[in-house]
Amino acid sequence: MTHFPVSLLPHWIQRMCNFGPECYPLPGLPIVGRNLKMRVFTRSDEDKRQHWAKFEESYLAKYNFAPRNEFENDRLFERLRDRLRIALDNLSGEMIGYICLQSVNGDPEAAELGICFSADQVSNGYGSEALRLFLPWAVNTLALNRIVLDVDVVNRRALRLYQRFGFRMVGETWRTEKNSALMERIRHGITIPGIRCRRNRLELLSW
């Protein structure tokens, strides 16, 4: 039987360097569903996601991961060890998405959730299955009692998914984003609800 450090629970979010160079152990993983396998995100996954299909929608360009060399990916993987990432494989063993958890104001019982999929894997029901697998594990194993997230209002597909799982809006904010393709569209007079340009800065409305 594997013994996991007591410090992981409930203080689940911490620097993970004590758990080996490739990945860190987490109780209860992997979890296999009907179409997805949920497992710990490893160093090799950093390379895999950069070869995903790209989104054509300009407001989703931030999820189009640019290729990096091995050294840059090593550094990125180490830098992102301050959060928890869970890889999502299809039943063929291909990583098609991942889930990310980050701390919320140092509260060990709260986390901020993010989900990302390859562009060619969206609208296949994977988002719903990922949440059905992940949320009970996060509550029962990580001892989280509050999960929050930010979602751009323009991303209607993501909004519908989160609302189906009981997330509710508690506030909204305009935040600055660097997205040259989207900025060009706004400058050419294209109006997109939830997106604006102020003082030569692109801003997206998030709930």
Side-chain angles (χ1 to χ4, degrees):
M1 178 179 295
T2 303
H3 295 283
F4 297 96
V6 175
S7 60
L8 257 179
L9 302 172
H11 299 280
W12 57 272
I13 193 73
Q14 61 174 327
R15 297 294 295 179
M16 298 294 181
C17 58
N18 294 328
F19 301 106
E22 172 67 6
C23 63
Y24 45 87
L26 285 173
L29 296 185
I31 298 175
V32 179
R34 291 185 59 185
N35 301 293
L36 287 176
K37 176 182 177 181
M38 192 172 81
R39 60 171 176 80
V40 172
F41 190 100
T42 68
R43 166 61 184 84
S44 62
D45 295 323
E46 206 69 71
D47 304 302
K48 295 174 185 176
R49 68 174 185 156
Q50 292 164 19
H51 297 285
W52 282 352
K54 309 305 181 186
F55 288 97
E56 296 181 359
E57 300 97 325
S58 53
Y59 65 87
L60 294 175
K62 59 187 173 183
Y63 300 114
N64 294 336
F65 303 107
R68 295 182 174 88
N69 60 42
E70 183 177 355
F71 174 74
E72 291 173 325
N73 278 335
D74 285 343
R75 293 190 62 182
L76 181 62
F77 184 72
E78 290 301 318
R79 182 169 62 83
L80 296 182
R81 280 174 177 263
D82 65 342
R83 65 204 66 187
L84 187 153
R85 289 189 288 174
I86 304 295
L88 299 168
D89 294 345
N90 61 21
L91 296 188
S92 297
E94 176 188 8
M95 190 190 74
I96 61 172
Y98 69 94
I99 294 174
C100 179
L101 283 181
Q102 293 181 262
S103 59
V104 176
N105 297 324
D107 183 350
E109 296 182 355
E112 181 178 348
L113 171 69
I115 303 178
C116 182
F117 282 95
S118 173
D120 59 354
Q121 302 296 331
V122 299
S123 300
N124 291 326
Y126 289 132
S128 294
E129 182 169 356
L131 287 178
R132 282 196 297 269
L133 295 175
F134 176 78
L135 291 176
W137 178 80
V139 172
N140 298 323
T141 302
L142 300 184
L144 293 176
N145 63 22
R146 185 165 63 97
I147 297 176
V148 300
L149 56 89
D150 286 329
V151 58
D152 298 330
V153 172
V154 69
N155 193 351
R156 296 293 179 180
R157 183 169 50 214
L159 279 175
R160 290 193 296 268
L161 171 65
Y162 295 132
Q163 288 169 344
R164 285 202 304 271
F165 279 82
F167 287 90
R168 60 185 179 85
M169 187 182 74
V170 295
E172 63 180 31
T173 184
W174 288 93
R175 58 178 181 76
T176 302
E177 181 166 313
K178 294 181 179 180
N179 186 322
S180 58
L182 193 53
M183 175 67 89
E184 281 301 309
R185 296 189 65 189
I186 301 300
R187 283 176 172 170
H188 282 82
I190 298 175
T191 301
I192 304 175
I195 301 176
R196 70 186 184 187
C197 183
R198 300 185 66 189
R199 301 183 182 89
N200 206 34
R201 295 185 308 180
L202 183 70
E203 295 182 340
L204 273 67
L205 179 64
S206 294
W207 286 351

